[in-house]
Amino acid sequence: MSLPETQIPAAEASARKLTMVEALREALSEEMRRDERVILLGEDIGIAGGFGGAFTVTLGLAEEFGHRRVVDTPISEAAIAGVAAGAAAGGLRPVADVQYGDFLFIAMDQLANQAAKLRYMSGGKISVPMVMRAPVGATTRGSQHGQSLEAFFTHVPGLKVACPSNPYDGKGLLKTAIRDDNPVIFFEHKLLYGSKGARKEAGGIEVLGHVPEKEYLIPFGQAKIARPGRDITIVANLLMVHRSLQAARILAERGIEAEVIDVRTLVPFDWDAVAESARRTRKLMIVEEDNLTGGWGAEVAARIGDICFGHLDAPIRRVAAPDTPVPFAPVMERFYIPSTDTIVATAQELVSSY
Amino acid sequence: MSASTLDKTQKAGMFRRMVLCRKFEERVYYLFLEGRLPGTVHQSAGQEASAVGVCSALVEGDVITSTHRPHSHAIARGLPVKSLMAELFAKSTGCCRGKGGSMHLGDLALGMLPAIAIVGGGIPLATGQALAFQYLGRKNIAACFFGDGAANIGTFHEAINMGAIWNLPVVYICENNKYGASTSVDKVMKVEHVSERAAAYGIPGVTVDGNDVEAVHRAMWSATERARTGSGPTLLELETYRFSGHSRSDPGHYRPQEEVAAWKQRDPVALYEKALTDQGILTEEEARQIHDSVEKELEEAVKFAEESPSPAAEDCLSDVFA
Ligand SMILES: Cc1ncc(C[n+]2csc(CCOP(=O)(O)OP(=O)(O)O)c2C)c(N)n1
Ligand SMILES: [Mg+2]
């Protein structure tokens, strides 16, 4: 599948195009150059002749920054997360990663009980400026290598959650995450990496994005209108932004103008942007790859239903994965991941029935 | 069957299983290159002696747990090759009906829990299987495969300690193939042998040449005796090497070529074939027949897999709850 890139405002445009992997790598290296305290922790991230992490994001960084700052760990996710949190409290700015987001469950105690709560339990005396990067998304690897886990972390007070859909946002948000004084869970989608060569993902989409050479940051809590429209608002993140944009193009051919909002960060969340759009279009749907029940979309539906009650002409709909684990067989996986067709059908139904 | 009395039939059977493991991986490799299999795959060529040596000491009702690299374990445990191949093809006739894939091969009714692709995730499960055997008064044991990389994750410590304090009928089998993905063991472990860690739990720890199938069988046999008689677990470390990259996409540039070449000199399948023919246990003709019959079995397995139906998309929704 090949999709046109996400639209970005003209002011942000530049001639240079990067993949997500290249943009994230650039964010890491820029921040490491400007701040000695930034170190990387993870499995297989800096081994000579190795991978540069599971998806090549850290390739070449050990050569530039040395093994003192690009630290290869044993397979020990709980300790990776906890050591990052401890080092953060001790004055460093660690960027840790897990090879697949699914392994965050192993690190859950250190993230949810330690990193997220040190500040609160200390009466505000401690800060934990760490980033935990985690690839998500189903890619025919089955139930333990394809989950989307954003909702687990949006539920924990004290954690920030970012989820960029394109290289420009990836770089700007990762730099902001590293400078943030709080623990940030940074989700990346496997099909958006644009990894090349042997690490190329089957089914990956080409999201080459304009990334200016000049330094920039993207603040947390600012959603982006990825496509303006007047008839319905579609809120999405990660891969689902691209499926929603594709759906919007199909809907446009049928005379329906969908507005697509890329949330960019889930915590903090840009309630104003979504509420403003929903009031304008009077119809809202949310698209996420996570399981339906208790997904972050459920929170958006509940809150917008509350804030915008009386401004909406239709029920708020969610398009999400069914409440099942991720299946292996491609035919089942295609059924599992929300498709462009389902987004189109749902939007069309909302617009035509209400 | 006992360690000292492996007879000709048993040895020939073990050799055949090893050839089946090897040739299965060779086929899978090409099927992947041809784009006929979805997903990813972690291959086990080079590690056949550990898989077969361990499973040759098991009896009906015993259970193995496995990892992201489960093909040889499943074959060695005796799961039908057709159902394994069909699973890799994502077909409804696969051992997990197309829901599991390469990393979750298994069939509990046949003595193998679906493989666990979370490193270390299978160690508590094997311990729990052993608790159930002990509680139910069954004579069976659990055999828990994991890699050197798994020796550094928390579940290794927590579960082996429990197995030890409760004298559970389980054997913990670390296939030390010198690398966890690109990471060499000596970078992530200060002790030389994983088996040394057994001392911390008060159980025996043994390191064995994992490319010598009969040595593996003997060591596993004594560990199972201990486990079956209520004396508790053993930590068995099998030193071996994977011939392929870590996964389908890995060319393995982090391993010195001389190291790879040296291990290929100690190819467990070739070693065993030579030993058996040298000792006159198999004639060259008999060895050739084994190779031929394996090829034929695999040919049929691929055909079976290809001709099997795919699951329906909606099958995604079933099997969530019992
Ligand atoms: C908890 C966890 N962390 C990381 C991974 C990614 N991963 C898969 S296999 C592997 C290396 C495992 O090494 P080892 O245990 O030695 O087994 P081997 O691959 O050598 O058979 C890694 C890091 C994983 N599957 N699970
Ligand atoms: Mg290993």
Side-chain angles (χ1 to χ4, degrees):
Chain A
M1 180 175 27
S2 174
L3 292 176
E5 71 204 57
T6 308
Q7 292 175 7
I8 57 165
E12 294 167 358
S14 87
R16 194 175 65 139
K17 287 187 170 186
L18 299 183
T19 62
M20 179 69 91
V21 160
E22 290 162 341
L24 295 173
R25 190 183 297 139
E26 196 168 86
L28 291 173
S29 56
E30 282 181 15
E31 291 306 298
M32 289 178 83
R33 271 178 225 134
R34 89 175 250 291
D35 187 346
E36 257 314 297
R37 297 169 302 171
V38 179
I39 63 161
L40 310 184
L41 282 170
E43 296 159 15
D44 304 289
I45 62 174
I47 307 274
F51 318 133
F55 294 93
T56 73
V57 172
T58 58
L59 203 62
L61 297 183
E63 285 71 16
E64 179 177 353
F65 298 102
H67 293 287
R68 192 171 151 264
R69 298 185 67 193
V70 180
V71 185
D72 285 296
T73 67
I75 304 172
S76 309
E77 282 77 7
I80 291 170
V83 165
L92 303 186
R93 293 192 163 263
V95 182
D97 77 82
V98 290
Q99 298 192 337
Y100 287 81
D102 312 66
F103 314 153
L104 286 176
F105 287 134
I106 299 166
M108 204 62 170
D109 168 64
Q110 293 295 325
L111 294 172
N113 281 330
Q114 324 307 338
K117 295 182 171 55
L118 278 175
R119 181 166 190 87
Y120 191 80
M121 296 188 303
S122 67
K125 291 183 182 169
I126 295 178
S127 58
V128 184
M130 66 173 280
V131 179
M132 175 57 91
R133 297 179 36 240
V136 291
T139 58
T140 63
R141 286 178 174 86
S143 296
Q144 297 181 336
H145 283 73
Q147 299 169 83
S148 292
L149 302 151
E150 300 93 281
F152 286 94
F153 295 90
T154 59
H155 188 66
V156 180
L159 298 179
K160 293 191 176 181
V161 178
C163 44
S165 72
N166 62 78
Y168 176 83
D169 289 351
K171 181 176 174 188
L173 289 172
L174 184 52
K175 284 169 69 83
T176 302
I178 293 170
R179 296 185 198 187
D180 198 296
D181 282 334
N182 299 285
V184 177
I185 315 296
F186 197 90
F187 289 107
E188 301 161 10
H189 199 288
K190 283 160 235 162
L191 294 183
L192 300 178
Y193 273 132
S195 305
K196 299 197 181 90
R199 296 306 303 182
K200 192 171 157 50
E201 282 296 315
I205 61 175
E206 276 295 317
V207 199
L208 271 180
H210 293 281
V211 178
E213 324 233 353
K214 194 164 170 305
E215 180 170 64
Y216 65 95
L217 297 170
I218 297 177
F220 277 24
Q222 285 189 10
K224 179 160 79 181
I225 298 180
R227 181 192 198 279
R230 58 167 193 273
D231 297 324
I232 184 167
T233 300
I234 305 178
V235 176
N237 74 338
L238 294 165
L239 180 67
M240 292 303 125
V241 172
H242 300 273
R243 297 238 163 135
S244 299
L245 286 169
Q246 197 183 36
R249 282 186 287 273
I250 295 168
L251 288 163
E253 286 164 15
R254 301 178 189 176
I256 297 170
E257 290 299 329
E259 176 148 304
V260 177
I261 297 188
D262 179 348
V263 299
R264 302 209 282 193
T265 60
L266 288 166
V267 181
F269 192 87
D270 192 346
W271 296 109
D272 290 347
V274 175
E276 187 280 322
S277 174
R279 280 192 200 102
R280 203 161 15 82
T281 65
R282 307 185 66 85
K283 295 187 177 72
L284 174 67
M285 57 186 273
I286 302 127
V287 188
E288 61 181 316
E289 192 177 324
D290 200 351
N291 302 113
L292 180 70
T293 300
W296 60 263
E299 182 63 27
V300 176
R303 289 243 209 150
I304 298 298
D306 185 356
I307 309 172
C308 299
F309 185 74
H311 295 273
L312 297 176
D313 291 342
I316 300 172
R317 280 282 147 76
R318 288 175 293 144
V319 176
D323 289 332
T324 79
V326 182
F328 164 65
V331 58
M332 286 192 260
E333 196 194 68
R334 279 193 295 276
F335 175 88
Y336 174 91
I337 306 172
S339 67
T340 302
D341 286 349
T342 311
I343 302 169
V344 169
T346 307
Q348 191 142 29
E349 198 249 328
L350 282 181
V351 170
S352 54
S353 307
Y354 297 93
Chain B
M1 191 190 327
S2 101
S4 49
T5 61
L6 277 176
D7 62 22
K8 177 187 156 118
T9 320
Q10 289 166 329
K11 290 183 181 192
M14 285 161 64
F15 174 63
R16 189 179 188 282
R17 283 271 158 91
M18 291 174 73
V19 174
L20 190 55
C21 292
R22 173 65 55 87
K23 290 190 188 285
F24 183 90
E25 293 294 39
E26 286 171 0
R27 293 239 169 193
V28 165
Y29 179 78
Y30 288 110
L31 289 166
F32 255 101
L33 282 186
E34 291 164 9
R36 287 154 80 190
L37 300 180
T40 188
V41 70
H42 303 79
Q43 300 206 275
S44 54
Q47 304 186 187
E48 296 84 356
S50 83
V52 172
V54 164
C55 291
S56 66
L58 300 179
V59 300
E60 206 185 320
D62 292 346
V63 166
I64 67 169
T65 64
S66 178
T67 69
H68 57 282
R69 199 180 301 288
H71 301 178
S72 290
H73 300 153
I75 293 170
R77 188 69 187 108
L79 270 65
V81 170
K82 281 183 178 174
S83 77
L84 303 177
M85 195 61 89
E87 188 62 31
L88 299 191
F89 272 85
K91 295 298 181 71
S92 58
T93 53
C95 56
C96 304
R97 299 185 182 135
K99 283 209 170 88
S102 163
M103 290 197 278
H104 304 299
L105 294 183
D107 189 336
L108 189 54
L110 301 178
M112 178 178 184
L113 204 71
I116 305 300
I118 303 294
V119 167
I123 311 179
L125 294 174
T127 306
Q129 291 271 325
L131 177 67
F133 290 146
Q134 186 189 59
Y135 185 91
L136 297 171
R138 296 207 355 222
K139 278 286 158 240
N140 287 114
I141 65 150
C144 174
F145 285 104
F146 53 89
D148 44 278
N152 297 316
I153 197 155
T155 50
F156 170 93
H157 168 70
E158 297 180 28
I160 298 183
N161 187 53
M162 278 189 197
I165 58 174
W166 297 334
N167 288 321
L168 294 180
V170 50
V171 183
Y172 299 107
I173 300 138
C174 178
E175 293 184 298
N176 184 346
N177 62 5
K178 313 298 171 200
Y179 292 84
S182 73
T183 304
S184 130
V185 170
D186 46 11
K187 274 202 164 73
V188 286
M189 223 172 61
K190 275 243 185 177
V191 290
E192 196 185 338
H193 291 295
V194 174
S195 62
E196 292 172 49
R197 295 192 173 169
Y201 310 111
I203 61 172
V206 189
T207 300
V208 177
D209 177 356
N211 281 14
D212 176 345
V213 69
E214 291 193 11
V216 174
H217 172 85
R218 283 191 297 274
M220 183 63 188
W221 185 264
S222 0
T224 59
E225 292 274 87
R226 241 183 83 75
R228 281 189 219 285
T229 53
S231 306
T234 301
L235 175 55
L236 202 59
E237 175 182 28
L238 307 176
E239 294 191 294
T240 184
Y241 205 75
R242 63 170 152 75
F243 288 172
S244 58
H246 168 64
S247 64
R248 178 178 56 114
S249 57
D250 169 27
H253 293 318
Y254 45 85
R255 303 195 301 190
Q257 281 185 358
E258 314 78 67
E259 182 184 281
V260 180
W263 277 95
K264 286 200 170 162
Q265 289 297 309
R266 300 205 55 252
D267 178 333
V269 184
L271 282 182
Y272 201 41
E273 177 160 354
K274 184 162 186 315
L276 292 181
T277 47
D278 283 357
Q279 293 163 28
I281 293 168
L282 282 184
T283 64
E284 279 176 22
E285 174 56 21
E286 285 169 326
R288 226 207 44 240
Q289 281 169 5
I290 288 177
H291 284 280
D292 290 349
S293 82
V294 163
E295 291 290 3
K296 194 155 162 285
E297 183 176 352
L298 287 167
E299 199 74 53
E300 282 163 14
V302 172
K303 188 159 178 287
F304 171 80
E306 282 185 321
E307 290 173 357
S308 289
S310 285
E314 294 76 18
D315 290 342
C316 170
L317 300 174
S318 62
D319 302 324
V320 179
F321 292 106

